[in-house]
Amino acid sequence: MKILVASPQGWATEALCGLLAKLDSGCEVEVVHDIPSLLSLPPATPSGTPDLVLVDVDAASADSGAVIRGFLQKFPVA
C-alpha cells in the first residue's frame, strides 16, 4: 500500500507517518510538506500513484474545498 501524507513538517506529521509505516511491512509512506507544489506536479508522485491520500486541509490553504478537489483530480483512484 502506498500512502501519501500532505502535511506541514512537525512532530504530529512525523508521528502519524511512523504509525502508518508500522501498519504493514509493505506499506510505503511518502510525505509532502508543500501542498501547492504537489498539486502543480504531474499526477504521479516519486513512488508512484498512492492508494490513500491524507491531507491536513487546515494547514493547506484558506480554501480547503479547493485543496480536496485538487487532490481528487490528481489522484482519482486513491
Side-chain angles (χ1 to χ4, degrees), residues 13-59:
T13 300
E14 299 305 317
L16 174 64
C17 292
L19 289 172
L20 292 171
K22 291 179 183 179
L23 289 175
D24 185 71
S25 61
C27 187
E28 297 175 33
V29 180
E30 181 177 354
V31 183
V32 175
H33 300 296
D34 185 7
I35 295 169
S37 293
L38 174 68
L39 290 174
S40 67
L41 293 175
T45 64
S47 63
T49 303
D51 300 300
L52 175 65
V53 178
L54 300 173
V55 182
D56 183 351
V57 293
D58 290 333

